[in-house]
Amino acid sequence: MKEPSLPGTSLQRACRLLVAFCALHLSATLLYYLAGSALGPPGSPEPPPRRPPPANLSLPLSRPPPAAARPRPPVASGPPGPCPETSPLLVGALRVEFSQPVNLEEVARLNPEVKAGGRFAPKDCIALQKVAIIIPFRNREEHLKYWLYYLHPILQRQQLDYGVYVINQDGEEEFNRAKLLNIGFAEALKEYDYDCFVFSDVDLIPMDDRNTYKCYSQPRHLSVSMDKFGFRLPYNQYFGGVSALSKEQFRKINGFPNNYWGWGGEDDDIYNRLVFKGMGISRPDAVIGKCRMIRHSRDRKNEPNPERFDRIAHTRETMSSDGLNTLSYKVLRTDKYPLYTKITVDIGSPNS
């Protein structure tokens, strides 16, 4: 008679079979792995390097090396080439204000490339024009400080080969702006072969460095949009404030008149001279040509000239006999300051 099975006997058999199957599978896997290693070539190749990330991923950039460690661009051999027609250094509109005092020693420190007498020329290119800037002057020291503070950086960015000449009228006679400008033209040419002359009042500051202080094919009126006149021309023939003429243009009109003593009239006489010699006036637009005037009361000995209207009416008859060819003066002193050349002159009197 068959003995009855103990409880759980069937489960034990199933577990033994499962353990035996797992042991057989593990042995087969181990044999397959060992066989593969033995058959493979010695020194299996390393896995391929990881591909770089796609180009459109934003990755942190390494900090650039110090300036001294960076490779320098090759220096071109030979002399520098001409400066571009439009300077790449210009910044456009400027903030101009006159609320803070100006220290000329600090201005000189901030403009180390400006040489004695107010001379500058770019080092990395040859300026297209050699410009003498002529300022008629008497007793305007504070205005001159502002002018030098603002204009030297502007003129350097314009890449001009320039010099600044302050023509100081000696004595107590009536002021004669136009004659001082003639003197500045003559004296500047004794120092350097300038081909362009910018005639500027000391109290006018440009508000945009794109208003380049250089000469053009026609005489250039630079101060076309003054705050004093609501940033517009007071009249179409106006040629006052700041203007530029080439050496040839200036000589063609026999320079400026010498007989306008006191305020007013000489600008209109100059305009007439240009028209009578067949020249026109070029101007920047009203935005680029903006400038600010330093507010001040009228100078003593610069009252309105009562003869100005009569003289303006006779420019055609007088221009050939009143100008560069009849200029008379005496240089009393020439001072070379760090930022400008000051020439003090005796220009005579209205009756001389």
Side-chain angles (χ1 to χ4, degrees), residues 22-38:
C22 290
L24 181 63
H25 183 271
L26 180 61
S27 299
T29 301
L30 181 61
L31 289 173
Y32 179 80
Y33 176 77
L34 293 174
S37 300

Side-chain angles (χ1 to χ4, degrees), residues 6-26:
L6 295 174
T9 302
S10 299
L11 182 60
Q12 290 178 3
R13 290 175 182 171
C15 289
R16 290 192 189 99
L17 288 174
L18 181 60
V19 170
F21 178 78
C22 290
L24 181 63
H25 183 271
L26 180 61

Side-chain angles (χ1 to χ4, degrees), residues 40-103:
S44 299
E46 297 180 0
R50 296 177 62 187
R51 293 183 180 180
N56 62 345
L57 289 181
S58 297
L59 298 177
L61 300 177
S62 61
R63 180 175 297 177
R70 297 174 197 160
R72 295 177 179 270
V75 178
S77 59
C83 297
E85 185 68 28
T86 301
S87 170
L89 308 178
L90 304 179
V91 299
L94 306 169
R95 180 179 178 181
V96 177
E97 58 183 30
F98 310 116
S99 58
Q100 299 297 322
V102 172
N103 183 300

Side-chain angles (χ1 to χ4, degrees), residues 280-294:
I281 305 298
S282 67
R283 292 185 171 106
D285 64 48
V287 174
I288 291 178
K290 281 187 174 182
C291 59
R292 285 198 65 186
M293 173 181 280
I294 306 173

